[in-house]
Amino acid sequence: MPKIAIIIGSTRPGRVGESVARWVLDIAEKRGDAEFELVDIADFKLPHLDEEIPPAAGRYSRPHTLAWAEKIASFDGFVFVTPEYNHSTSGALKNAIDFLFAEWNDKAAGFVSYGSVGGARAVEHLRLVMAELKVATVRAQVALSLITDFRNYSEFAPADHHIAAVDTMLDQVVSWSNALAPVRAA
């Protein structure tokens, strides 16, 4: 059974990403096809990328990088919960992704985004980054509007139709994570 991380992609005080990620986790835990775990990048206290050797070399030297690498390596797939800031993802999420290389490879990823246009532009940027990291991104994504899925832009209140969208995205992430298992094993 694949192990899928639901990654909270914001570290901002007062963030809504944690409530969105917990909602995704609640939906995911009703399934029996994978093990799901919430991963909060804020817990890893990653500074701005401070490794001297590029991540592709796999020679990490800092304790925070080693802990982050161990956590990410333990998963077969990912669901990134990302805000949209200035037509892209958060700097904190991009920084966390950039710390590693091989730990992301040959895995699958899906996206749950939120913003004024559902965070769609943040996901488009993340898809480009994931391609470079050899991550297969799934087609289905969940786009949450700050206008219709949040009260006062801060209290998460998703429309019911998003539940089916989350399940569809998770179906694809689990399927692709399983399909890529032989590639990871090679």
Side-chain angles (χ1 to χ4, degrees):
M1 184 175 328
K3 188 174 177 186
I4 310 295
I6 299 170
I7 299 176
I8 303 171
S10 174
T11 58
R12 192 163 113 179
R15 66 189 176 172
V16 296
E18 184 173 357
S19 60
V20 175
R22 290 193 182 283
W23 171 74
V24 173
L25 180 63
D26 287 345
I27 295 167
E29 287 181 330
K30 293 180 175 118
R31 305 167 60 94
D33 57 352
E35 179 184 341
F36 297 91
E37 181 180 330
L38 199 63
V39 176
D40 190 345
I41 60 175
D43 292 342
F44 290 85
K45 310 276 189 249
L46 297 169
H48 190 69
L49 186 56
D50 65 346
E51 289 285 344
E52 294 176 14
I53 298 172
R59 297 190 337 227
Y60 310 130
S61 64
R62 311 271 190 221
H64 51 262
T65 310
L66 294 168
W68 179 236
E70 180 180 6
K71 176 56 77 177
I72 294 305
S74 74
F75 295 104
D76 302 301
F78 311 99
V79 173
F80 291 96
V81 176
T82 182
E84 182 174 305
Y85 297 155
N86 300 315
H87 290 213
S88 191
T89 192
S90 72
L93 178 56
K94 179 65 167 73
N95 185 58
I97 291 167
D98 287 347
F99 261 92
L100 309 176
F101 182 75
E103 293 77 8
W104 301 113
N105 295 174
D106 303 320
K107 299 177 182 182
F111 304 97
V112 177
S113 57
Y114 54 95
S116 59
V117 292
R121 298 167 294 204
V123 171
E124 290 308 308
H125 284 179
L126 283 171
R127 287 183 189 282
L128 292 171
V129 173
M130 292 294 109
E132 178 61 21
L133 295 171
K134 299 181 1 179
V135 175
T137 63
V138 302
R139 182 176 186 267
Q141 73 183 66
V142 182
L144 303 164
S145 169
L146 285 176
I147 298 163
T148 60
D149 294 307
F150 293 84
R151 291 184 195 101
N152 299 318
Y153 301 96
S154 60
E155 183 184 341
F156 186 47
D160 289 340
H161 68 83
H162 291 301
I163 295 170
V166 171
D167 269 324
T168 298
M169 180 268 302
L170 291 173
D171 288 344
Q172 293 177 12
V173 170
V174 170
S175 176
W176 277 93
S177 295
N178 284 327
L180 288 167
V183 177
R184 287 190 300 278

